[in-house]
Amino acid sequence: MSNRLKAVINCGSSSIRMIIGEFTANGAPQVIDQAIHYLPMGKDVFTTGMISNKTMARAMEILKLYRELLKGYGIEPSQVQAVGTAAVREALNRENFVDRMEIRTGFPIRIIDGLEENRLSYMAVLYALEKEVGLLSRGNTLIMEVSGGSTEVIVLKKGIIGAVHSLSFGAIRFQELYRQKKGYVEVKSHELEQSLSSLHDLIHEDCRHGSVNRVFLLGNYARIAAEMVGKGVSARLLEVEHRRWNALAEELYLMPPEDIVNRYGIAAAAADGMGTALLAYRYLLKDIDCESILVPRVGISEGILMEARPGVDPEVQSRFWNQVRNSALALGKKYHFDAEHAKLVARLSVELFDQLASEHRMGFRHRLLLEIAALLHDIGTFVKPSAHHKHGQYLVENSELFGLDAHDLKIIGNVVRYHRKSTPQNTHLGFVSLNREDRLVVMKMAALLRVADSLDRSHSQKVTDVKAIIKDEVMELQVFCDQDLDAEKLSLVDKGSFFEDVFGFSIRILQIRKGEKV
Amino acid sequence: MSKQPSMFLNRELSWIEFNRRVLNEAARPDLPLLERLKFLAITASNFDEFFMVRVAGLRRAFRSGDLPYGPTRERPSEQLSEILRRYGDFVADQYRIHDEILTKLRQRGIRILGRDELSVGQRARLEQFFEEELFNVLAPIRVEPKRPFPFTAGLRLNLAFLLKGETLSAPAPSPQAVGEPEAAAAQESPLLAILEIPSYLGRFYELPAAEGAHDFIRIEDVILLFAERLFSGYHILEHLSFRLTRDADIPVDEEKEEDFVEAMNKILRNRRHSRRVRLELGARGASQLKELLCTELQIDPKVVFDCPGPLSLRDYFGLATQNFDRDLSVEPWEPVLTLPDEQNIWQTIRERDVLLFPPYHSFSPVVRLLKEAAEDPNVLSIRMTLYRTGGDSPIVEALIRAAETGKQVLVLVELKARFDEEQNLGWAQTLERVGCIVVYGVANLKVHAKALLIVRREEDGIRRYVHLGTGNYHVKTSRLYTDLGILSTKNEYTYEVAQFFNAIMGYSTVQHSHYIIMAPHHLKKKLLSLFEWLTNEAKAGVPARVRAKMNALADEDIIRAIYRAAEAGVVIDLNVRGICMLNPGHVPRAQIRVISIVDRLLEHARIFSFAAGEREELYLASADWMYRNLERRVELMFRVIQDEHREQVKHILDVLFADNTQAYVLKPGGRWERLTPQGNKAVRAQLVFHTEAEEWRKLQAERQEEGLTPRRRPST
């Protein structure tokens, strides 16, 4: 019974927030309790690089209180998903922080990166929309969060991820740098705009083919502002007129936090950075023609809750994987990849992956990573065809893909790296820096990708399906094709050897023409 | 040009007016005598608190500069002199009524005898009582000239004696004697001695009497009968009863005090020695003693009152609640149990929200819920606020039991609940010992909200049960105060009640809420915005109306908002039991009507309705519209959301505003005028509610006879 309860703690730049969610019989999550304490972790980290002892002690007190609150629901700290975002991530003493919190309070804190935050923001929006998710497939949607330490942006076109951006601009971070540099805190709006101008331009470029139909703003700042001047659309969503939002930004950005506290009755720690954040939002939304702004009353904690649903809600799950795929396709397109080839290789890779499941024993997430690697395996050609596997690795690891974090990108980059030419060597830093488990995963995925890639060596999509049958140390690949497959067969001899090294099977290809019996 | 009537009525005078209305009940010849005696005792008890808190406060303000303050901008000295003048008149009326009631009781065979009215047998009984029980517990103290006056606690009955040493014999002083009398000095000037009468002795001693009759004697008279035995070697020249009232309000410095429990203990010790704000003196004669006592006590003669009768009229409570002849008391109203014991309480509340209207409805389902929670292995935790809760309360017992059976029990105990501090401190520490997590209030704010949350693990997941009410979790007062409460498992309530507890227990900073609005953070703002909404609607021509019932209306901002709304055309109907600082004459042509109901039960529920056109928002609350409730306390106002409950609450308001027998209407300037049916059907709200509850009970009984037990909601 109690496994239907799930608690999530988010140690953010300006607050530690906990939610307790319950999954209803159909698996839909519902937050039944929450707690928030404001804590200036970001302020510490963005000025000194470290979380101070005082802040750490306070964090510990807060977590102990949360532990007590959880006890009232019969939840143990070890069952809680606790994450740390920008401030913890960037703290020089983050290991120390994580360790101390776990030892003293029992909560294991996992540090997540900007891209994962991005994904969780998207999930949070899905949580907020409840049954209205269909809304996203109409027109364009902009999802944005300016927090204490970072800014995340997602552009959805007809519900499909068009672009994602994660920028280390944050309200607290900006203020603190500003204070250090200038010695005063009054943020000049044009200077703030300068540091956001490239993101502003990117967003506008992403949206250039049509207006933005709806804007979602997430995070504490947006939520508190929306509670001040907005109205509830549903229990999970607030709406604010764009005009009203801008007016509030004007009003607050030069207002000392104390005045914000007094006038609006919000927590002092929550007011810190408020003006700057609102100003950032105002600027980023400046040329966006959208009458109202939607603000979920939720944050990435709800995103984590969405992901933790028991059983898979096939619709939301496939919607999510599609978003990752679309994001990869958008990246491929940017580098002028051969879309037909890429898509076929991806499909064949996945077919092989599924048919050889008992041999490689990799899970669903790796299947997705393989698919993405297959989609992107040739993008390095954009730089230069020779050594394009190495360029491809570089491009992948330095891109932003929705739903994937830096670690995922590293794995994909390595798979791209080893889809041709040299196999992994001890001298390849990008490979040896992976842990053993990931190295194995990379090798298995690269081996599968090599075979799939060979099957479309001529880039003409002659092979459309493949069936792998394993008999006594030999993998027979049955391919269905009426055309000549010489190039593919030749390529397999070359690329198949790595597969043999990894899986221990030699490959035999069996071409089946129409009308032939298997 | 006529001056516009003042914006605000004086708070203290409005309070005295309320007490007047209570005293009017005591004067009613048509009421049973003991009921009248009860009302008389209430007025006395009310004035005790009034002196301890309000008069004490005004005197402090007077000493620190006599600056005008409060919405009426009057000087404390002006207010004090008017208060004392009216109090003088009040006391005279109290004793006039007192004498009348006692005379009539005598005609009915209930006598409080004077010392000279005793039969021989009665006197013998008293002598035995004095020798065996009183002599050893009475400890008179001699007052030495030029030494500090001996400690005299507030609100206790004392006797003062003027003694003269006997010259003829010089016996050894008894153990209780006045110190060590130096015989020589004693013989020259008379001695002053005082004696505090221990309160556990009770005020009235019942004597043997003829069949069907009841004879009593006051405890001070018993003592006076044999007082010379306490002062052997002395002769009593004069004796006098007196009673001191002390300032009750010594603030805790919450910023400085690290351990609040310790600080509270300190205050309780200090309060016993706090400033004297009133001295009541017993009747007749004893002129030397009176003068001497006033000099020794160094008390302002303005607050010394000669009472034409026995002191401490509030002690009649004990007598008023005794069972003599049926027609001497009002007919008892048994609360109806709307949630029968044989029903599964969890299931019932899960299936439907329950609206409780004690004391017409029994409060016991709430107690039962707690008791069952304590024993239920599926219950994970219990959270609740306790403000005033009786000492041997079944509620506290249930919480202790819950902690013992391993539930997480979180209790917020408000130590600052005035006059109950000592008791609260005691059982709060007991709760802590058995493993409850006790939070001792919230710094700088008094937690007045009444809320309960039970987390229970059920087949289909976690379910939370809440109770929200307008009255305290106090079993005894739940039979005397009219309150409204809701038992529910609805998400709208449970989520926000959980948030409320997170805020007051320190788990979280205060969050925004929609159904449960919390003071001091959001409540006043919400009320003002509701008034603003109606004002705008009225300006736009939409009919708008406020109907609000509360115990007191004294917040300046709210009153101004009411005037603005009334000016815009909003119809204002207020049902204010006690203090009302709004002056209905202030806004010309405005439709403001203020009534006040004083009846056998204490009107205590807070109900607010804001309506414009088709839309009506209904709220129940723990808060009055007073500055202290809205700004200095943690209070809750909660929305009534379920249709049937909305209908019931609207009906309750309809009846309350239709009362034309126990209600008074406030006239411009602050005078209250009793309403009469004047040809209309007489409506007595409390009787209507009682009758409806009785009808429901009968209906249930009939159904049961038919073998059917449909779960009908009680109509209120």
Side-chain angles (χ1 to χ4, degrees):
Chain A
M1 284 187 280
S2 63
N3 61 4
R4 299 176 57 165
L5 282 184
K6 178 91 203 161
V8 177
I9 293 177
N10 175 14
C11 304
S13 298
S14 57
S15 68
I16 298 186
R17 176 165 179 257
M18 176 168 80
I19 59 170
I20 299 173
E22 185 177 34
F23 300 104
T24 55
N26 63 14
Q30 168 81 35
V31 173
I32 61 165
D33 204 350
Q34 65 157 329
I36 185 165
H37 275 288
Y38 293 94
L39 186 69
M41 258 194 299
K43 204 166 194 165
D44 284 12
V45 173
F46 307 140
T47 46
T48 67
M50 313 259 280
I51 301 170
S52 71
N53 273 330
K54 194 179 148 209
T55 304
M56 241 193 246
R58 178 73 187 126
M60 211 137 58
E61 272 173 39
I62 293 169
L63 290 179
K64 281 182 182 163
L65 284 170
Y66 288 177
R67 190 172 63 188
E68 198 176 280
L69 178 57
L70 286 169
K71 201 174 162 230
Y73 290 94
I75 303 173
E76 291 296 323
S78 59
Q79 301 170 288
V80 174
Q81 274 221 43
V83 299
T85 51
V88 181
R89 184 163 67 229
E90 290 177 30
L92 295 171
N93 56 348
R94 63 180 171 272
E95 311 296 344
N96 189 255
F97 175 82
V98 169
D99 190 49
R100 227 194 272 182
M101 293 307 137
E102 177 154 16
I103 291 171
R104 303 274 181 84
T105 69
F107 292 109
I109 297 174
R110 183 170 65 87
I111 293 174
I112 58 174
D113 69 14
L115 289 168
E116 188 172 355
E117 274 185 69
N118 226 318
R119 180 184 85 225
L120 295 171
S121 300
Y122 171 73
M123 295 307 266
V125 169
L126 295 188
Y127 175 87
L129 285 174
E130 298 175 83
K131 298 207 162 47
E132 304 294 322
V133 283
L135 192 73
L136 293 181
S137 52
R138 294 192 293 276
N140 296 336
T141 306
L142 181 63
I143 301 173
M144 192 152 48
E145 169 167 2
V146 177
S147 69
S150 67
T151 297
E152 319 289 339
V153 179
I154 304 172
V155 180
L156 291 174
K157 295 184 173 174
K158 292 197 166 58
I160 294 166
I161 301 277
V164 290
H165 306 289
S166 177
L167 188 76
S168 67
F169 171 93
I172 303 279
R173 187 200 301 272
F174 183 79
Q175 277 181 199
E176 292 310 317
L177 291 177
Y178 208 80
R179 201 200 309 264
Q180 281 177 353
K181 225 166 36 194
K182 313 258 175 169
Y184 58 88
V185 265
E186 287 79 18
V187 172
K188 293 267 186 297
S189 64
H190 68 272
E191 291 182 59
L192 179 136
E193 288 174 8
Q194 262 169 25
S195 56
L196 280 171
S197 65
S198 59
L199 180 62
H200 175 265
D201 296 347
L202 273 176
I203 295 171
H204 284 263
E205 205 176 302
D206 294 329
C207 301
R208 72 184 182 278
H209 295 303
S211 61
V212 170
N213 300 70
R214 66 199 67 82
V215 175
F216 287 94
L217 302 183
L218 283 100
N220 284 339
Y221 293 130
R223 198 186 66 240
I224 293 169
E227 275 164 358
M228 289 176 186
V229 295
K231 62 178 198 306
V233 180
S234 72
R236 297 181 181 180
L237 204 57
L238 294 155
E239 187 175 23
V240 189
E241 281 176 67
H242 196 166
R243 211 166 32 83
R244 189 75 192 80
W245 182 274
N246 287 341
L248 185 71
E250 297 283 338
E251 184 191 337
L252 294 190
Y253 99 89
L254 283 178
M255 198 184 270
E258 311 85 80
D259 292 3
I260 301 180
V261 169
N262 292 337
R263 180 155 327 165
Y264 291 99
I266 58 174
D272 193 14
M274 189 82 192
T276 307
L278 291 188
L279 205 59
Y281 279 126
R282 190 194 67 156
Y283 172 65
L284 292 174
L285 295 174
K286 197 169 72 181
D287 302 312
I288 286 172
D289 182 25
C290 196
E291 278 187 10
S292 72
I293 289 167
L294 294 165
V295 181
R297 297 189 214 259
V298 302
I300 66 165
S301 301
E302 279 81 355
I304 295 175
L305 191 65
M306 279 295 273
E307 289 202 326
R309 278 157 308 164
V312 183
D313 177 346
E315 199 198 329
V316 178
Q317 198 67 11
S318 75
R319 182 184 291 271
F320 173 70
W321 296 129
N322 272 332
Q323 295 298 17
V324 182
R325 260 177 226 119
N326 290 328
S327 177
L329 286 171
L331 187 69
K333 211 164 147 195
K334 188 168 159 189
Y335 296 117
H336 305 298
F337 72 154
D338 177 347
E340 296 311 311
H341 173 67
K343 286 179 189 167
L344 179 62
V345 172
R347 188 154 60 78
L348 294 174
S349 300
V350 170
E351 280 180 19
L352 288 170
F353 183 97
D354 292 346
Q355 292 169 29
L356 298 172
S358 61
E359 302 301 327
H360 59 68
R361 306 220 166 164
M362 290 188 285
F364 193 75
R365 187 164 181 83
H366 288 129
R367 183 183 191 269
L368 179 77
L369 297 185
L370 173 61
E371 189 183 346
I372 303 300
L375 285 174
L376 300 176
H377 72 280
D378 276 345
I379 58 168
T381 316
F382 181 78
V383 180
K384 208 175 176 192
S386 64
H388 73 259
H389 55 294
K390 292 186 189 168
H391 302 309
Q393 179 180 22
Y394 174 81
L395 290 179
V396 166
E397 289 184 8
N398 290 287
S399 294
E400 292 175 332
L401 279 174
F402 171 80
L404 302 179
D405 62 20
H407 179 249
D408 296 334
L409 291 177
K410 207 168 166 193
I411 289 179
I412 295 172
N414 271 286
V415 176
V416 169
R417 168 76 166 78
Y418 297 115
H419 88 274
R420 65 193 283 263
K421 300 280 178 187
S422 164
T423 53
Q425 307 294 321
N426 285 343
T427 50
H428 294 167
L429 276 178
F431 183 73
V432 294
S433 66
L434 294 171
N435 65 31
R436 187 179 161 275
E437 208 176 305
D438 288 340
R439 289 201 300 265
L440 271 173
V441 163
V442 165
M443 294 212 289
K444 288 182 202 172
M445 291 201 290
L448 292 171
L449 177 55
R450 280 184 187 223
V451 173
D453 190 23
S454 296
L455 293 176
D456 193 33
R457 181 68 187 88
S458 56
H459 285 229
S460 48
Q461 293 82 48
K462 286 183 279 190
V463 175
T464 49
D465 288 293
V466 63
K467 195 166 180 193
I469 294 160
I470 291 175
K471 284 182 206 152
D472 317 320
E473 314 304 312
V474 175
M475 178 177 72
E476 186 182 274
L477 286 180
Q478 299 178 348
V479 295
F480 303 85
C481 176
D482 289 340
Q483 288 163 285
D484 187 32
L485 285 176
D486 289 351
E488 282 71 20
K489 285 174 181 169
L490 196 67
S491 168
L492 252 185
V493 175
D494 173 23
K495 292 200 169 187
S497 65
F498 182 56
F499 183 90
E500 198 171 337
D501 292 345
V502 173
F503 289 99
F505 302 117
S506 61
I507 299 175
R508 188 191 302 150
I509 189 161
L510 177 65
Q511 184 175 8
I512 298 167
R513 292 171 196 273
K514 251 182 219 157
E516 278 185 8
K517 286 218 169 124
V518 179
Chain B
M1 216 177 90
S2 72
K3 211 178 94 190
Q4 192 184 14
S6 68
M7 197 167 206
F8 303 102
L9 299 175
N10 181 283
R11 179 196 159 119
E12 320 303 341
L13 301 183
S14 180
W15 183 89
I16 293 177
E17 281 303 309
F18 160 64
N19 228 19
R20 252 301 152 198
R21 297 195 290 282
V22 179
L23 190 64
N24 285 350
E25 293 299 297
R28 273 174 62 176
D30 57 325
L31 279 187
L33 288 169
L34 292 181
E35 183 72 357
R36 294 175 61 186
L37 197 58
K38 180 194 86 182
F39 281 113
L40 180 69
I42 290 173
T43 61
S45 162
N46 284 349
F47 261 111
D48 286 347
E49 278 194 23
F50 184 71
F51 271 90
M52 288 167 79
V53 180
R54 304 303 307 177
V55 174
L58 282 166
R59 288 177 65 84
R60 261 183 276 130
F62 167 68
R63 279 193 303 272
S64 50
D66 198 23
L67 299 172
Y69 83 108
T72 50
R73 317 297 304 154
E74 289 165 279
R75 285 184 191 282
S77 55
E78 295 162 6
Q79 299 194 50
L80 276 168
S81 64
E82 183 59 18
I83 288 167
L84 297 178
R85 191 185 67 73
R86 293 207 194 181
Y87 176 63
D89 295 346
F90 198 95
V91 171
D93 289 339
Q94 275 180 321
Y95 281 95
R96 189 176 47 72
I97 294 164
H98 166 262
D99 294 348
E100 186 204 325
I101 294 173
L102 255 52
T103 310
K104 286 195 168 148
L105 277 173
R106 221 170 238 268
Q107 291 160 5
R108 299 293 312 273
I110 296 164
R111 303 189 298 169
I112 298 166
L113 300 177
R115 295 195 296 279
D116 50 359
E117 293 179 287
L118 300 165
S119 69
V120 177
Q122 286 172 331
R123 200 187 148 89
R125 159 71 79 88
L126 288 175
E127 183 163 11
Q128 189 190 359
F129 171 57
F130 182 88
E131 285 298 331
E132 287 173 8
E133 292 178 47
L134 294 186
F135 188 79
N136 289 315
V137 298
L138 298 177
I141 305 169
R142 168 176 164 183
V143 182
E144 310 265 6
K146 299 197 187 77
R147 298 277 299 274
F149 194 81
F151 171 71
T152 7
L155 304 187
R156 299 275 170 78
L157 193 59
N158 293 274
L159 287 171
F161 296 94
L162 196 62
L163 306 170
K164 195 168 168 54
E166 284 173 4
T167 42
L168 296 178
S169 61
S174 74
Q176 281 74 34
V178 216
E180 295 295 323
E182 293 124 49
Q187 281 172 23
E188 283 170 23
S189 63
L191 281 177
L192 175 62
I194 59 167
L195 169 66
E196 182 184 309
I197 304 176
S199 53
Y200 59 81
L201 293 174
R203 184 70 188 279
F204 300 98
Y205 185 82
E206 185 156 13
L207 292 160
E211 179 72 29
H214 297 273
D215 284 348
F216 295 90
I217 182 166
R218 291 190 186 83
I219 191 75
E220 64 269 34
D221 284 321
V222 180
I223 295 167
L224 288 172
L225 276 174
F226 309 104
E228 300 227 333
R229 301 186 189 182
L230 295 169
F231 309 104
S232 66
Y234 290 88
H235 172 66
I236 298 173
L237 295 177
E238 283 183 5
H239 61 78
L240 176 69
S241 56
F242 74 97
R243 188 169 178 262
L244 263 182
T245 309
R246 292 177 178 272
D247 186 343
D249 227 25
I250 307 167
V252 193
D253 185 351
E254 297 201 26
E255 305 296 334
K256 230 166 59 190
E257 298 294 350
E258 298 249 313
D259 183 346
F260 188 69
V261 174
E262 192 31 52
M264 205 69 219
N265 269 321
K266 216 157 45 189
I267 290 212
L268 292 174
R269 286 195 298 272
N270 288 341
R271 176 176 298 166
R272 297 161 35 116
H273 295 279
S274 61
R275 275 180 183 271
R276 299 153 188 156
V277 291
R278 179 178 63 171
L279 174 64
E280 295 163 284
L281 299 174
R284 312 176 252 282
S287 53
Q288 259 196 85
L289 248 181
K290 278 181 187 170
E291 210 186 305
L292 196 58
L293 206 56
C294 292
T295 319
E296 285 290 341
L297 280 166
Q298 297 172 335
I299 193 161
D300 180 352
K302 286 204 279 294
V303 292
V304 178
F305 297 91
D306 274 329
C307 297
L311 298 181
S312 199
L313 294 178
R314 71 171 184 178
D315 293 342
Y316 282 108
F317 260 127
L319 214 56
T321 48
Q322 291 209 19
N323 294 319
F324 300 114
D325 277 349
R326 267 255 134 138
D327 66 330
L328 286 175
S329 307
V330 289
E331 157 217 16
W333 286 355
E334 248 337 281
V336 172
L337 192 59
T338 52
L339 222 149
D341 287 339
E342 63 275 11
Q343 267 177 32
N344 179 319
I345 196 160
W346 307 108
Q347 193 190 340
T348 309
I349 302 174
R350 198 158 58 222
E351 282 169 5
R352 58 173 175 89
D353 287 8
V354 177
L355 183 77
L356 287 181
F357 189 16
Y360 311 107
H361 299 168
S362 169
F363 184 67
S364 72
V366 177
V367 179
R368 184 175 146 219
L369 185 69
L370 270 167
K371 280 187 177 160
E372 294 204 8
E375 303 295 341
D376 189 332
N378 290 322
V379 167
L380 295 169
S381 60
I382 301 173
R383 275 155 227 199
M384 99 181 281
T385 58
L386 291 177
Y387 184 68
R388 290 184 201 277
T389 297
D392 46 357
S393 155
I395 288 166
V396 175
E397 265 167 46
L399 292 174
I400 291 173
R401 180 77 191 126
E404 284 169 352
T405 53
K407 276 112 203 160
Q408 188 192 44
V409 180
L410 284 141
V411 189
L412 185 132
V413 176
E414 186 42 84
L415 290 183
K416 287 168 281 185
R418 206 182 267 139
F419 308 122
D420 282 351
E421 296 98 334
E422 211 152 354
Q423 201 179 36
N424 287 352
L425 201 56
W427 51 254
Q429 285 167 337
T430 312
L431 284 172
E432 221 170 23
R433 266 198 303 278
V434 296
C436 300
I437 301 171
V438 179
V439 176
Y440 291 96
V442 173
N444 301 316
L445 298 170
K446 210 182 265 193
V447 179
H448 193 241
K450 300 98 178 49
L452 162 68
L453 173 77
I454 296 172
V455 181
R456 188 168 187 259
R457 189 185 283 156
E458 300 189 350
E459 275 306 309
D460 53 345
I462 290 288
R463 183 161 276 109
R464 290 174 293 184
Y465 293 79
V466 300
H467 177 259
L468 290 165
T470 63
N472 294 310
Y473 290 107
H474 194 301
V475 175
K476 225 156 136 195
T477 57
S478 75
R479 300 199 57 154
L480 303 170
Y481 295 7
T482 69
D483 276 303
L484 280 164
I486 287 180
L487 286 162
S488 174
T489 59
K490 282 216 165 57
N491 242 329
E492 288 89 338
Y493 292 138
T494 58
Y495 178 75
E496 294 189 359
V497 171
Q499 293 300 290
F500 163 73
F501 277 108
N502 288 349
I504 60 168
M505 302 280 180
Y507 292 142
S508 179
T509 46
V510 178
Q511 303 278 292
H512 258 263
S513 57
H514 307 275
Y515 300 98
I516 293 176
I517 296 113
M518 183 174 167
H521 300 80
H522 308 300
L523 182 42
K524 187 160 171 179
K525 230 179 275 171
K526 176 72 187 183
L527 287 172
L528 292 175
S529 81
L530 285 165
F531 275 110
E532 199 185 319
W533 162 51
L534 294 195
T535 307
N536 291 336
E537 294 281 0
K539 279 181 186 159
V542 179
R545 179 167 73 157
V546 175
R547 289 197 296 169
K549 168 178 159 54
M550 68 203 79
N551 300 340
L553 170 56
D555 185 87
E556 195 175 331
D557 300 326
I558 299 281
I559 293 173
R560 286 177 194 274
I562 295 175
Y563 289 144
R564 277 196 300 276
E567 239 161 9
V570 179
V571 178
I572 309 280
D573 275 320
L574 300 170
N575 200 314
V576 184
R577 183 193 82 207
I579 298 165
C580 178
M581 290 177 62
L582 174 137
N583 186 351
H586 177 67
V587 183
R589 287 177 305 280
Q591 299 184 65
I592 301 179
R593 183 168 177 264
V594 186
I595 67 165
S596 169
I597 295 177
V598 175
D599 202 345
R600 60 181 282 178
L601 302 168
L602 184 75
E603 288 297 330
H604 196 253
R606 287 87 168 184
I607 311 169
F608 315 137
S609 150
F610 293 84
E614 294 296 295
R615 193 169 142 214
E616 177 168 11
E617 291 200 15
L618 277 171
Y619 295 91
L620 303 177
S622 62
D624 290 316
W625 291 354
M626 298 176 92
Y627 172 81
R628 69 160 195 230
N629 295 88
L630 300 174
E631 312 254 359
R632 303 297 308 158
R633 281 182 175 185
V634 175
E635 302 264 12
L636 287 182
M637 174 170 92
F638 50 102
R639 249 169 112 155
V640 184
I641 44 180
Q642 197 166 296
D643 285 343
E644 279 174 271
H645 291 167
R646 287 171 54 84
E647 290 313 311
Q648 288 177 49
V649 172
K650 281 191 233 172
H651 167 72
I652 291 171
L653 282 174
D654 290 344
V655 173
L656 283 167
F657 280 100
D659 194 309
N660 54 17
T661 58
Q662 294 295 130
Y664 292 75
V665 64
L666 178 62
K667 295 289 178 188
R671 201 173 51 79
W672 293 84
E673 193 177 282
R674 189 161 194 141
L675 290 174
T676 52
Q678 290 187 328
N680 295 320
K681 190 172 159 259
V683 179
R684 181 178 165 206
Q686 294 193 351
L687 184 63
V688 173
F689 298 135
H690 167 70
T691 311
E692 285 174 350
E694 278 303 317
E695 277 165 8
W696 186 84
R697 189 208 307 270
K698 267 183 224 141
L699 193 72
Q700 284 304 101
E702 281 165 24
R703 304 259 170 181
Q704 232 150 32
E705 275 168 25
E706 290 162 20
L708 300 168
T709 48
R711 295 213 184 93
R712 271 275 295 268
R713 212 166 293 236
S715 70
T716 43

